[in-house]
Amino acid sequence: VSPSVVSYVLNGGPRSTSVAARERVLNAIRELDYHPNASARGLRFQQTRTIGLLLSTFESSGVFESPYIGLILGGLVGQLKARGYWALVYPLVIGQDLDVLEGLLRSKKVDGVVVRLLQEPHQTHPLLEIIAATGVPCVCIEQPGAERFGFGSVTYDDGRGAYDAVAYLLAQGHRRIGHVGGDLRYLTARARVAGYRRALLENDIVADESLVYCDAWNPGTARAAVARMFDGASPPTAIFAANDSLAFVVVEELRKHGYRVPEDVSVVGFDDIELSREMDPPLTTVRIPLHQLGVRAADLLLEVINDDPAGAVPRSEVLSVELVRRSTA
Amino acid sequence: VSPSVVSYVLNGGPRSTSVAARERVLNAIRELDYHPNASARGLRFQQTRTIGLLLSTFESSGVFESPYIGLILGGLVGQLKARGYWALVYPLVIGQDLDVLEGLLRSKKVDGVVVRLLQEPHQTHPLLEIIAATGVPCVCIEQPGAERFGFGSVTYDDGRGAYDAVAYLLAQGHRRIGHVGGDLRYLTARARVAGYRRALLENDIVADESLVYCDAWNPGTARAAVARMFDGASPPTAIFAANDSLAFVVVEELRKHGYRVPEDVSVVGFDDIELSREMDPPLTTVRIPLHQLGVRAADLLLEVINDDPAGAVPRSEVLSVELVRRSTA
DNA sequence: GTGAAAGCGCTAACAA
DNA sequence: TTGTTAGCGCTTTCAC
């Protein structure tokens, strides 16, 4: 029995095989538990069935610790696995690993990448330029890349979520609403403040700048922010936090200062991580379908890789967020 | 200029090259930004500079959401990256993906694996048997594999941590100490109850079985456990929880029932995830150097792969845990 | 110091 | 239906 027959059997190859031969091959395969060499196949087919997951971060560590990214990763890796692809994770420190990244792409180690974007299109050019130059199929998540690269993207509407959250607070009668924001290097943090501002504006409320604190996703600063807000002459009656971890800390800090939530102060978060369900009282927050985001990104990428007719034109999906009312507002 | 020269230049190859030739090659490489094809090198060298991260789980989803695993992953991936290796993540559902796993290993897609073990040595045999049969270098984390496989491992001492936590509570004068345990399919959960029991025993306290609840890592059951403990005639004055998330929920539930922590009831957790520092009051807990665990696992694996003299004999490291006193006990 | 050529394991076009 | 063979991109031995 010759190599070609084995190949035909294995791949339902371009030629058909006799039942007898197939049997023998199958038996031999089972006996030796033979498995084709991935590198050899990769070399032959020019594809590796591996997808690179480029996880942008500002700090050089800590990507995996975030429950937010964990949710996305779960969807991403799970879906890739279900469709027979492997996931290669690479924590990409912004402004650093670009040369290594180029090596990854040019060496054809991955068939495609999904890249987590944190900033505005023009700031992500250096990164996307490299990806585009290598021609590796790419889907952006969280933030879209610049139009001209033509990469698909799966994002969600930060501004809308923040707007909805604040509009909800306004509808409850709140007029002084504080904001504990995230790290403004993240477009997501900026979009959330913007949504907050827009909601106030549309209700003819002039935003009191002493009530908005954006510094980092850092719990310590969130604590300090609360302390300062309630030091002032007219403290807020509600706080919109840029994410759930921040909201959690805000609730803790309010309690420490003797304020009850939601009786004295209402709090709304963003993301809907597990903590928001488990904390007491459970957090009212803006839910992002993060798992789904991962799943869709995987789907989109595989569509363009296998250029399914549907995927011929790379799509940009904007997942909708939803205010989930629990007990803090 | 011939292919061999390029190779020599690129790899500081087995032959030396003239300065002139080297220059020309280097220039050409830069101009075309040439990068060697990973599959071809993989085929040639029989190695891919990729490490498989086999993340065992019982449920088919949710590995990445756990802050515990996130910390390990951070250390693992970070260290691999620093040493020039890629990380392939594979969520391995216990009792399922064994055939796919065998394919991964036999296809020589990875140079080695670090495998997260959840159970006792004899229960992990099917998995390790496959890895051993394929001869792929392997390091176990969290739990060691059976001796005979000869795989290195990086673990930590659950029993000791639990013992220390409970001994500490006893030293504070507590006599009725409850335990809210984890999912007993996890050896880690069993070891933690065992440590709890041993501490009580050594202090001549008969464990009151109405005070130990092991069901799952599930917050809901933890809540129910607390409720039941404090329904009884003589409720505990302290609770040792099998991990920090559980401890957090326990504190919340105690507060809901009108008990103050630590004045009325003391609580100690396990793991030392970020939440335990951020919650209020900050959690007294047993710290596991999880990041370090990942780093060491990577180091050990690379040692055996590159068979450094030091790594010739695969080592088993047991990282030491440490009670960190904060405010809940 | 450099070029030619074989071979890593696989697939598919070409012959038989 | 099957066997033979070239070639994917790289490295390295061998001959020059």
Side-chain angles (χ1 to χ4, degrees):
Chain A
V1 52
S2 83
S4 35
V5 179
V6 178
S7 176
Y8 299 153
V9 172
L10 226 56
N11 310 329
R15 293 274 165 285
S16 54
T17 51
S18 71
V19 185
R22 172 191 278 97
E23 277 311 307
R24 279 198 298 149
V25 170
L26 255 25
N27 281 338
I29 285 180
R30 211 161 312 135
E31 258 172 61
L32 313 171
D33 44 30
Y34 163 86
H35 287 259
N37 179 294
S39 294
R41 293 191 126 211
L43 183 55
R44 188 69 244 257
F45 288 131
Q46 304 283 34
Q47 56 134 7
T48 57
R49 294 195 77 84
T50 305
I51 299 301
L53 270 26
L54 311 181
L55 307 175
S56 300
T57 45
F58 287 104
E59 341 298 334
S60 69
S61 81
V63 220
F64 296 103
E65 279 124 80
S66 141
Y68 173 93
I69 211 67
L71 251 1
I72 297 181
L73 225 41
L76 223 26
V77 176
Q79 185 70 355
L80 289 175
K81 178 180 173 186
R83 315 241 332 225
Y85 279 77
W86 305 100
L88 192 81
V89 293
Y90 188 68
L92 185 65
V93 181
I94 287 179
Q96 285 187 212
D97 303 310
L98 256 35
D99 45 347
V100 184
L101 174 63
E102 176 161 23
L104 175 69
L105 301 174
R106 290 224 113 90
S107 71
K108 297 253 113 70
K109 207 177 162 50
V110 294
D111 295 347
V113 293
V114 0
V115 54
R116 177 193 191 200
L117 260 25
L118 264 26
Q119 301 170 289
E120 285 174 300
H122 75 270
Q123 303 183 90
T124 56
H125 278 183
L127 171 53
L128 296 187
E129 203 77 74
I130 286 179
I131 301 178
T134 60
V136 173
C138 169
V139 164
C140 307
I141 57 174
E142 298 187 49
Q143 302 297 338
E147 281 282 1
R148 65 184 174 92
F149 294 114
F151 296 147
S153 66
V154 186
T155 59
Y156 56 87
D157 196 338
D158 275 303
R160 178 55 182 273
Y163 179 90
D164 287 353
V166 176
Y168 171 75
L169 289 170
L170 288 166
Q172 306 283 300
H174 293 284
R175 283 302 169 266
R176 288 190 61 74
I177 302 174
H179 179 56
V180 174
D183 186 331
L184 292 180
R185 291 175 301 175
Y186 291 74
L187 179 45
T188 224
R190 294 202 297 280
R192 291 174 194 186
V193 213
Y196 158 83
R197 290 218 151 89
R198 188 163 63 83
L200 293 184
L201 214 63
E202 290 192 6
N203 284 266
D204 300 313
I205 296 183
V206 324
D208 180 344
E209 290 306 321
S210 74
L211 293 187
V212 356
Y213 290 87
C214 295
D215 183 9
W217 302 108
N218 183 294
T221 19
R223 286 231 154 76
V226 172
R228 261 174 295 156
M229 283 186 199
F230 287 83
D231 255 8
S234 52
T237 63
I239 294 179
F240 167 56
N243 78 14
D244 289 348
S245 310
L246 253 21
F248 169 73
V249 169
V250 164
V251 170
E252 297 275 76
E253 195 64 14
L254 285 171
R255 183 150 48 202
K256 189 176 280 171
H257 284 253
Y259 297 97
R260 291 163 306 159
V261 175
E263 293 83 353
D264 301 326
V265 183
S266 293
V267 176
V268 178
F270 210 117
D271 288 358
D272 195 29
I273 61 176
E274 194 193 2
L275 177 62
S276 45
R277 257 161 289 136
E278 297 313 329
M279 59 184 268
D280 181 37
L283 186 70
T284 294
T285 190
V286 178
R287 176 179 155 70
I288 313 174
L290 292 170
H291 183 92
Q292 187 59 16
L293 189 150
V295 172
R296 290 304 302 149
D299 282 343
L300 242 60
L301 183 59
L302 297 187
E303 270 177 22
V304 348
I305 286 176
N306 308 314
D307 55 28
D308 291 359
V313 175
R315 279 180 286 157
S316 291
E317 296 192 5
V318 181
L319 270 29
S320 57
V321 298
E322 172 197 15
L323 183 75
V324 352
R325 288 191 51 179
R326 288 198 271 249
S327 309
T328 57
Chain B
V1 53
S2 84
S4 31
V5 179
V6 178
S7 177
Y8 299 154
V9 173
L10 228 55
N11 311 329
R15 293 276 164 284
S16 55
T17 52
S18 69
V19 186
R22 174 192 278 97
E23 276 311 307
R24 278 199 297 150
V25 169
L26 254 26
N27 280 336
I29 285 179
R30 211 161 313 133
E31 257 173 63
L32 314 170
D33 42 31
Y34 165 85
H35 288 258
N37 179 294
S39 294
R41 295 192 122 209
L43 182 54
R44 188 67 242 263
F45 287 132
Q46 304 283 35
Q47 57 136 349
T48 58
R49 294 195 78 83
T50 305
I51 300 300
L53 270 25
L54 311 181
L55 306 176
S56 300
T57 44
F58 286 105
E59 343 298 335
S60 68
S61 80
V63 220
F64 295 103
E65 278 124 81
S66 141
Y68 173 93
I69 212 65
L71 252 359
I72 297 180
L73 225 40
L76 223 27
V77 175
Q79 187 69 355
L80 290 175
K81 178 181 172 186
R83 315 239 334 223
Y85 279 78
W86 305 100
L88 193 81
V89 295
Y90 188 69
L92 186 64
V93 182
I94 286 180
Q96 286 188 212
D97 303 311
L98 256 37
D99 44 347
V100 184
L101 174 64
E102 176 161 23
L104 175 68
L105 301 174
R106 289 224 113 88
S107 72
K108 296 253 119 59
K109 206 177 160 51
V110 293
D111 295 345
V113 292
V114 0
V115 54
R116 175 193 191 198
L117 260 26
L118 267 22
Q119 300 169 289
E120 284 174 300
H122 74 267
Q123 304 184 87
T124 56
H125 277 185
L127 172 54
L128 295 187
E129 204 76 74
I130 287 179
I131 300 177
T134 59
V136 172
C138 170
V139 164
C140 307
I141 57 173
E142 297 186 49
Q143 302 297 339
E147 281 282 3
R148 64 182 174 93
F149 294 114
F151 296 147
S153 65
V154 186
T155 59
Y156 56 88
D157 196 338
D158 276 303
R160 176 58 183 271
Y163 178 90
D164 287 352
V166 175
Y168 171 75
L169 290 170
L170 289 165
Q172 306 284 299
H174 294 284
R175 283 301 169 269
R176 289 189 60 73
I177 300 174
H179 178 56
V180 174
D183 186 331
L184 292 180
R185 291 175 302 175
Y186 291 73
L187 178 46
T188 222
R190 294 202 297 280
R192 291 174 194 186
V193 215
Y196 158 84
R197 290 218 153 89
R198 188 163 65 82
L200 292 184
L201 215 61
E202 289 191 7
N203 284 267
D204 301 313
I205 295 182
V206 325
D208 179 344
E209 290 306 320
S210 74
L211 293 187
V212 356
Y213 290 88
C214 295
D215 183 8
W217 301 108
N218 184 295
T221 21
R223 287 232 154 73
V226 172
R228 261 174 296 157
M229 284 187 198
F230 286 84
D231 255 9
S234 52
T237 64
I239 296 181
F240 167 57
N243 77 15
D244 290 347
S245 310
L246 254 23
F248 169 73
V249 169
V250 164
V251 170
E252 297 274 74
E253 193 66 13
L254 285 170
R255 182 149 48 200
K256 190 176 278 171
H257 284 252
Y259 297 96
R260 291 164 307 159
V261 176
E263 292 83 352
D264 302 327
V265 183
S266 293
V267 176
V268 178
F270 210 117
D271 288 358
D272 194 30
I273 61 177
E274 195 194 359
L275 177 62
S276 45
R277 255 162 291 136
E278 296 314 328
M279 60 183 271
D280 180 37
L283 186 70
T284 294
T285 191
V286 179
R287 176 178 156 72
I288 314 173
L290 292 170
H291 184 91
Q292 187 59 16
L293 190 148
V295 171
R296 290 304 304 148
D299 282 343
L300 244 61
L301 183 59
L302 297 188
E303 269 177 23
V304 348
I305 286 176
N306 308 314
D307 56 28
D308 290 359
V313 174
R315 280 180 284 159
S316 290
E317 297 190 6
V318 181
L319 269 27
S320 59
V321 299
E322 172 198 13
L323 183 74
V324 351
R325 285 192 52 181
R326 286 199 271 251
S327 311
T328 58

